[in-house]
Amino acid sequence: MMEFISLTPLWWLLVPVLIGVAYWFTLSDRPKWWRRLSFAFRCLALVCVILALCGPYLNKPSKAIHVAHLVDVSESVDLEECIAAMQHVIEMNEQLHAGDSSAVFIFADGAREVDPEDALQTLETWCDTLADDQFRRETRLAAALRSARLSFPAGKAHRVVLYSDGVPTTDPVENELKRLEKEGALIQFEQLRRESRPEAAVVEVVPSAHAVYAGERLRLKTRLTANVPMKAKVRLLNRGVARASQEVELTPEGDNRFAFDVVVGMDDAPVWQVELVPEQDHFPLNNQAGCEVAIIGRARVLVLHEKPRSMRHFRSALEKQGFGVEVRAPIGLPATLDELLKFDAIVLADIPATDIPERAMHSLKRYVTDFGGGLLMLGSENSFGLGGYYQTPVEEVLPITSRFEKEKETPSMAMALVIDKSGSMSGVPIELARQAAKATVELLGPRDKIGVIGFDSQPFIACEMTPASDVGRVQDAIDSLQAGGGTSIYPGMVEGERMLRSAGTRVRHMILLTDGQSAPGDAEGISESMALSGITVSTVALGGGAARELLKRIAQIGRGRYYETMDPSSVPRIFTKETMAVSRSAIKEEPFIPVAVNTLGFLEGVDFDDAPYLLGYVMTRLKPAALIHLITEGGDPLLASGQYGLGVGMAFTSDASDMWAGEWVEWKGFGPFWAQILRRCVRKDRGAGIAVRTSEEPTGLRLWVERRDAGLRPVNEVDWNGVALMEYGGEQLLEPRQVGLGRYEVFLPMKEKQNSSIRLLDQETGATRLLSWRRDYPEEYRLSSVADAGIAALPALDADTLTQRDDAVWRYVSVRHTFVFLAMLFAVLGVLFRRLG
């Protein structure tokens, strides 16, 4: 059957029609039949030329085959196996028929079409001398299959024979196998034996952290492998100098994992390498692997304490450990997130929640969760629940909760909440007052009691003295408080005194909250009467219109505490702080020795057997997802940590001052102990806002840098200070150029096997991004013995099946030359008849 490549030239068949018109009006006097024959032959010649232009061809069946042989010559394959495979290729080619064809490729880091005789000679030479290691360092199976597919001629059955260990090191082969199958190619696989000489390799090196501070302990885990049992020496290198070594025994089937612990110095390079020195080895290239660990300079720590001088020992010890420490009073807490980000960790040593504005509370939480900052709270009378942190944003990023089960022997307590519900309290203030009252109920023990009185111009009994275990009933009663009316403190205090006198508990306390001036009444007299009966009174002045002087005198006479706040949102924190302070059951003051439970390696080197006594701590409860590191002898949490978003929150329920740690400050382990704790929680990433993407190119490394501020807005015209430090000396200055909004680009020329440590500094803000780049040894040398699943599933090589010719392949034969010959013949005949006529 004849077919044409294109039918467009058929339009030229209109030309014979025009020639016919010209023939009709010819004036030639030649004989009629001679003229007609000449004209017909010329028309036939023209038609043959037009048909030749259409590209005519015939479909003919063919039994011929084309075999593409792919021989893997990479380093992972035994060269003797490669030679045997090439000899088999030569034998198979000799058995092909006359119309058959073949192509032979050797492949490793790419595919090369070769003459089999020349390839055999090359392989034999490689066995006797040095092989082409540069070419043999990869196994690009997908590229080899692609080369075979592109070598197939038309009109022949396609065959592929793959001689390999079946372990690719680069692109997956699945897509190429599917293409060959779709095109009808028959693929067979002959598995070659892998390199059998004794060999060992470093598979991976994994650091415990990717960024550490100078002086911090770092653990580097390495995994080794070997194909035969052998002894070896493993060394940890930095800047080419051995920092540690181990004698090990490797087994083919064993879990050859080992670890190095090292204290990182400021002068150490970011690249840490593990070097293997086996007693038997063939490939030295895979005896070394490494990882990058960014070394951050001096960490800045902000410590907040009501009496900054009390933290002088803490500050001195940390400064000797390489920290920059700033101690401030509570008023020195940064008001904005940008100010917080100037520090790598915040230590709340002795600062009540009532001294922290609501906005600052949320900023501290974001500092930890969104920006990776560290937060450490120490025990004191102003910490945890005692400090009013129960159910606050700060407590959300701490590993402990301020609520705890009170001990059975703790004296029971009665609490009367006397809350202003006058018209000026409407809206947010009364809602927050209800919230504060509910939090108070949650903090009381089951043996405690609580009563709630609201007052305007008259008292309103929201809840008579009720056991605190009946939480639902009390909280429902608290919801009945609604604002409206005037302000008269005295009647509300009278009802509170009545409830407390009849409570029958050892501890009796009243909390009075108001935001306005009171109608006349003997509030001071009733406070004195209650004080004589052992009932204490604390007061809270809300807003600038409160009767501050009166409330101060009531608290002084009532032997309680006076609070004042302009922010209604701080009322719940004041109530929880006061509840815990009155209870005093949250503090346990007795000597104890810390007990290590799970130090996770960061407290290794601290000898707790030599540690002196601590004299007290705040009782708390561990959150479910938190980690406990130290406990008291009674089993209560002492040191705990947790991951919250990007940062770490930690809690130490004793303190670091003379209050409970008077003997600890003289202990030789005091400085290392606190340094290791802070190194665990400090912010590791100082490059916030600088994102770097790298791309390896033949001559070096290209970096794309994106710079954004805290509001995620692009930062343009950055004054960069960039430098790349080469592994074996020398440095390269980097000058990123702006290529878009907040986007920059820079190219770093690199030699083939050179490693580099790169620093990008925004000189205006001080933000720094540190990264390291290194070339690992090729995958070819990792001693992997697992063949690709797609390759392993291929049928095994069978010469009889490979050369079967049962199914004919249609072969396209061009007949254009035939039409050209006919056109020439008809043209000659046309001229001949014209002349003879």
Side-chain angles (χ1 to χ4, degrees):
M1 179 180 178
M2 183 179 295
E3 296 183 21
F4 299 93
I5 295 175
S6 174
L7 299 178
T8 302
L10 293 179
W11 287 102
W12 288 99
L13 291 176
L14 295 175
V15 174
V17 176
L18 297 176
I19 295 175
V21 174
Y23 172 78
W24 184 264
F25 295 101
T26 182
L27 300 177
S28 175
D29 56 354
R30 301 282 183 180
K32 181 177 180 180
W33 288 104
W34 289 99
R35 290 202 315 271
R36 289 180 178 177
L37 283 173
S38 175
F39 175 73
F41 283 130
R42 291 182 182 183
C43 287
L44 287 173
L46 185 57
V47 169
C48 287
V49 170
I50 293 171
L51 291 176
L53 292 174
C54 290
Y57 60 89
L58 295 174
N59 281 335
K60 291 185 177 182
S62 171
K63 296 286 188 176
I65 63 172
H66 176 86
V67 185
H69 299 276
L70 304 176
V71 181
D72 185 350
V73 297
S74 61
E75 289 274 25
S76 61
V77 179
D78 193 324
L79 276 176
E80 296 292 343
E81 286 282 283
C82 299
I83 292 173
M86 193 61 68
Q87 290 172 340
H88 189 260
V89 169
I90 295 173
E91 293 174 3
M92 289 190 63
N93 284 349
E94 291 174 351
Q95 298 174 9
L96 296 178
H97 296 178
D100 298 337
S101 60
S102 69
V104 181
F105 296 87
I106 60 172
F107 70 92
D109 190 7
R112 299 175 181 175
E113 186 170 5
V114 295
D115 178 86
E117 297 288 350
D118 293 341
L120 180 60
Q121 187 175 359
T122 299
L123 292 173
E124 291 173 345
T125 303
W126 284 357
C127 280
D128 299 331
T129 60
L130 292 176
D132 185 354
D133 292 339
Q134 190 66 30
F135 176 64
R136 301 182 65 207
R137 66 191 308 169
E138 298 283 359
T139 302
R140 298 186 180 274
L141 260 172
L145 293 171
R146 194 178 307 117
S147 298
R149 188 168 60 86
L150 296 175
S151 74
F152 290 145
K156 296 182 180 181
H158 301 160
R159 307 283 190 264
V160 178
V161 184
L162 177 62
Y163 305 86
S164 174
D165 59 359
V167 183
T169 60
T170 53
D171 301 334
V173 299
E174 181 181 2
N175 290 337
E176 291 301 328
L177 290 174
K178 287 181 178 179
R179 288 193 186 99
L180 287 166
E181 182 182 358
K182 185 177 181 180
E183 294 174 3
L186 173 64
I187 313 173
Q188 293 187 351
F189 174 47
E190 177 73 8
Q191 187 160 14
L192 302 184
R193 185 179 68 248
R194 294 181 61 81
E195 179 62 61
S196 58
R197 285 173 288 192
E199 176 61 28
V202 182
V203 178
E204 64 179 358
V205 181
V206 180
S208 58
H210 291 283
V212 297
Y213 283 92
E216 185 172 352
R217 183 178 295 274
L218 175 69
R219 168 161 287 192
L220 294 153
K221 298 179 180 179
T222 183
R223 183 161 62 93
L224 314 177
T225 185
N227 58 3
V228 297
M230 67 173 70
K231 295 181 179 179
K233 184 176 183 179
V234 191
R235 300 192 301 174
L236 178 66
L237 306 179
N238 189 277
R239 297 190 186 276
V241 177
R243 296 287 297 273
S245 64
Q246 298 181 36
E247 299 287 342
V248 300
E249 292 189 7
L250 307 179
T251 58
E253 305 300 332
D255 185 17
N256 301 304
R257 297 176 187 269
F258 307 94
F260 292 97
D261 290 314
V262 62
V263 176
V264 179
M266 196 63 210
D267 295 331
D268 288 330
V271 177
W272 293 84
Q273 294 183 313
V274 170
E275 182 182 62
L276 177 64
V277 186
E279 61 181 7
Q280 304 176 75
D281 197 44
H282 178 62
F283 299 125
L285 193 63
N286 60 4
N287 291 348
Q288 197 173 81
C291 63
E292 298 87 27
V293 179
I295 301 173
I296 308 171
R298 191 179 177 90
R300 295 192 64 198
V301 179
L302 174 62
V303 181
L304 297 163
H305 196 285
E306 283 202 324
K307 299 177 181 178
R309 179 171 170 74
S310 298
M311 300 303 291
R312 63 190 184 278
H313 300 295
F314 184 79
R315 175 178 182 172
S316 175
L318 285 179
E319 287 178 341
K320 290 178 181 178
Q321 295 291 322
F323 286 83
V325 183
E326 188 171 339
V327 182
R328 298 180 183 177
I331 197 173
L333 175 67
T336 65
L337 188 57
D338 286 339
E339 290 294 316
L340 281 173
L341 290 173
K342 293 180 179 179
F343 298 94
D344 300 302
I346 307 295
V347 179
L348 302 179
D350 185 8
I351 172 174
T354 52
D355 285 351
I356 304 178
E358 185 72 13
R359 181 178 178 184
M361 279 273 186
H362 288 282
S363 293
L364 277 170
K365 179 183 175 182
R366 284 199 65 200
Y367 169 76
V368 177
T369 58
D370 296 345
F371 293 89
L375 181 65
L376 171 64
M377 183 175 284
L378 306 183
S380 73
E381 293 184 353
N382 289 314
S383 301
F384 308 115
L386 289 171
Y389 287 95
Y390 180 62
Q391 291 187 340
T392 63
V394 168
E395 191 187 52
E396 292 178 27
V397 291
L398 290 175
I400 53 86
T401 178
S402 302
R403 187 180 182 184
F404 66 99
E405 297 297 333
K406 296 172 67 175
E407 296 180 358
K408 292 182 179 179
E409 64 271 17
T410 301
S412 58
M413 177 178 68
M415 177 82 72
L417 304 181
V418 183
I419 299 173
D420 185 350
K421 71 177 195 71
S422 62
S424 60
M425 288 285 290
S426 62
V428 174
I430 193 64
E431 174 61 32
L432 290 171
R434 289 196 293 262
Q435 179 182 331
K438 290 178 180 180
T440 300
V441 177
E442 293 178 2
L443 288 173
L444 294 176
R447 299 176 65 242
D448 296 333
K449 297 179 181 180
I450 186 169
V452 182
I453 302 101
F455 67 88
D456 41 40
S457 55
Q458 296 294 327
F460 169 74
I461 310 300
C463 177
E464 282 286 357
M465 193 62 66
T466 305
S469 57
D470 195 355
V471 177
R473 176 185 170 189
V474 176
Q475 292 189 342
D476 288 342
I478 290 171
D479 285 332
S480 67
L481 290 174
Q482 301 295 328
T487 303
S488 182
I489 292 175
Y490 179 71
M493 293 183 68
V494 170
E495 289 296 331
E497 179 191 24
R498 176 184 63 80
M499 290 184 184
L500 290 170
R501 286 185 181 277
S502 61
T505 58
R506 293 181 59 182
V507 179
R508 294 171 293 174
H509 186 67
M510 177 186 293
I511 301 178
L512 170 65
L513 166 70
T514 182
D515 72 339
Q517 299 291 328
S518 173
D522 191 13
E524 296 177 41
I526 195 172
S527 298
E528 184 175 2
S529 174
M530 285 191 288
L532 293 174
S533 301
I535 300 173
T536 54
V537 184
S538 292
T539 58
V540 182
L542 174 61
R548 296 183 180 181
E549 294 302 321
L550 173 62
L551 293 174
K552 284 181 182 178
R553 290 195 300 274
I554 292 174
Q556 183 177 8
I557 295 170
R559 300 175 185 174
R561 283 156 293 276
Y562 167 72
Y563 303 89
E564 64 178 52
T565 179
M566 302 298 292
D567 183 6
S569 64
S570 65
V571 171
R573 297 197 291 276
I574 294 173
F575 271 51
T576 56
K577 171 179 170 56
E578 183 65 13
T579 303
M580 298 292 285
V582 172
S583 172
R584 291 289 296 176
S585 57
I587 288 181
K588 195 165 189 176
E589 292 185 319
E590 61 181 26
F592 69 92
I593 295 291
V595 179
V597 178
N598 180 17
T599 61
L600 295 180
F602 75 94
L603 287 178
E604 288 187 9
V606 179
D607 185 7
F608 291 104
D609 294 334
D610 188 44
Y613 284 97
L614 289 167
L615 303 181
Y617 65 95
V618 180
M619 297 176 66
T620 58
R621 296 172 71 183
L622 190 70
K623 289 182 179 177
L627 298 174
I628 185 73
H629 309 298
L630 299 176
I631 60 174
T632 67
E633 292 172 330
D636 292 320
L638 179 62
L639 176 64
S641 69
Q643 184 76 38
Y644 303 99
L646 299 178
V648 174
M650 300 190 75
F652 184 75
T653 57
S654 188
D655 85 326
S657 68
D658 292 332
M659 182 175 71
W660 290 332
E663 296 183 24
W664 264 48
V665 299
E666 304 295 334
W667 174 42
K668 65 180 180 180
F670 184 74
F673 172 77
W674 287 113
Q676 294 296 76
I677 287 178
L678 283 170
R679 286 176 184 134
R680 173 165 173 76
C681 73
V682 290
R683 177 162 49 104
K684 298 296 194 298
D685 185 7
R686 289 187 175 181
I690 305 177
V692 181
R693 183 168 53 89
T694 61
S695 175
E696 184 178 349
E697 297 184 5
T699 58
L701 186 69
R702 190 169 300 278
L703 292 83
W704 285 275
V705 185
E706 186 172 357
R707 182 73 176 100
R708 293 182 179 273
D709 61 15
L712 300 181
R713 295 178 295 269
V715 180
N716 299 314
E717 298 180 359
V718 175
D719 183 13
W720 292 106
N721 182 320
V723 63
L725 303 177
M726 303 308 174
E727 182 180 14
Y728 298 112
E731 64 179 50
Q732 174 79 40
L733 296 178
L734 302 178
E735 298 180 358
R737 62 183 183 89
Q738 188 161 358
V739 295
L741 288 174
R743 297 176 183 272
Y744 303 82
E745 179 187 357
V746 64
F747 180 75
L748 174 62
M750 299 280 286
K751 295 180 180 178
E752 182 192 350
K753 294 184 179 180
Q754 201 166 27
N755 300 331
S756 177
S757 300
I758 301 168
R759 185 205 68 199
L760 293 172
L761 168 65
D762 181 343
Q763 298 192 92
E764 182 177 349
T765 65
T768 306
R769 172 64 70 187
L770 301 174
L771 63 151
S772 296
W773 186 81
R774 62 187 179 86
R775 280 190 174 95
D776 202 355
Y777 66 79
E779 290 286 332
E780 185 69 22
Y781 302 95
R782 290 194 183 276
L783 301 186
S784 174
S785 57
V786 180
D788 179 86
I791 297 295
L794 293 174
L797 174 61
D798 182 358
D800 294 335
T801 305
L802 192 72
T803 56
Q804 280 182 357
R805 305 166 192 270
D806 296 338
D807 299 327
V809 177
W810 288 99
R811 182 166 58 95
Y812 300 110
V813 181
S814 175
V815 292
R816 177 178 294 178
H817 61 282
T818 302
F819 282 96
V820 172
F821 174 77
L822 290 175
M824 293 173 61
L825 176 62
F826 289 138
V828 170
L829 290 176
V831 173
L832 180 62
F833 275 94
R834 183 182 181 194
R835 295 294 183 187
L836 293 177

